[in-house]
């Protein structure tokens, strides 16, 4: 399993930060590894929403269907994507802060079956991808990285 966690302090209100993060179509704006996002179910963010997220892969683009499995506006949501090769669980939490909000993005990627043997090799690659996404998230939220 590979995991990447980043927390960003933003001047945006918790409601504004949550609305931005919960609409997964925004992934393409801040994560350079995301090629495009298409909403499949629902109308915007919400407990019944799902999105096809196309990401850059080693062997070409890969589209993953992210389904919102938990939704507690304006504080947290969980989106899960499963394929024959992997499972991705993304947990987004938003907490009020004196200056606005703190957004924490926690992404966990697990390779399925025999591919799981390569999990340890996936970790440094996932960290590099996460660092690039974190830079974009910090810019999108007009924020700064914080240790929480």
């Amino acid at each position: 399993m590979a995991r990447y966690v980043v927390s960003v302090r933003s001047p945006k209100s918790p409601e504004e930060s949550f609305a931005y993060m919960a609409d997964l179509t925004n992934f393409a704006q801040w994560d350079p590894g995301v090629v495009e996002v298409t909403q499949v179910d629902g109308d915007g963010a919400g407990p019944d929403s799902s999105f096809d997220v196309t990401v850059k892969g080693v062997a070409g683009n890969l589209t993953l269907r992210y389904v919102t499995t938990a939704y507690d506006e304006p504080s947290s949501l969980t989106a899960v994507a499963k394929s024959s090769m992997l499972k991705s669980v993304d947990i987004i939490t938003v907490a009020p802060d004196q200056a606005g909000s703190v957004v924490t993005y926690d992404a966990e990627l697990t390779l399925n079956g025999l591919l799981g043997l390569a999990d340890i090799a996936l970790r440094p690659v996932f960290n590099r991808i996460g660092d690039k996404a974190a830079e974009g998230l910090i810019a999108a939220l007009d924020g700064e990285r914080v240790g929480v």
Side-chain angles (χ1 to χ4, degrees):
M1 170 190 75
R3 186 171 180 209
Y4 190 88
V5 180
V6 63
S7 294
V8 177
R9 177 174 288 123
S10 172
K12 299 178 186 299
S13 70
E15 295 77 15
E16 187 179 4
S17 291
F18 183 84
Y20 180 79
M21 296 301 297
D23 183 353
L24 301 192
T25 60
N26 291 324
F27 276 15
Q29 294 178 10
W30 59 266
D31 187 338
V34 174
V35 177
E36 70 176 331
V37 181
T38 305
Q39 184 149 16
V40 178
D41 294 308
D43 184 19
D48 298 321
S49 62
S50 63
F51 302 82
D52 281 347
V53 179
T54 302
V55 296
K56 296 174 188 172
V58 177
N61 293 343
L62 172 67
T63 299
L64 300 167
R65 175 142 316 156
Y66 277 84
V67 176
T68 303
T69 60
Y71 189 87
D72 184 18
E73 186 176 358
S75 59
S76 67
L77 75 95
T78 302
V80 177
K82 296 177 185 174
S83 76
S84 60
M85 295 178 6
L86 59 88
K87 178 180 179 182
S88 177
V89 178
D90 294 20
I91 301 170
I92 299 164
T93 56
V94 180
D97 183 67
Q98 298 161 343
S101 60
V102 174
V103 174
T104 299
Y105 195 94
D106 184 342
E108 184 178 285
L109 186 64
T110 306
L111 297 175
N112 296 334
L114 291 176
L115 291 174
L117 298 173
D119 264 347
I120 199 156
L122 177 65
R123 291 176 190 165
V125 173
F126 197 55
N127 283 336
R128 283 193 299 276
I129 292 168
D131 285 342
K132 290 177 183 175
E135 289 174 19
L137 184 57
I138 291 164
L141 294 175
D142 298 321
E144 63 181 348
R145 188 178 198 144
V146 293
V148 175

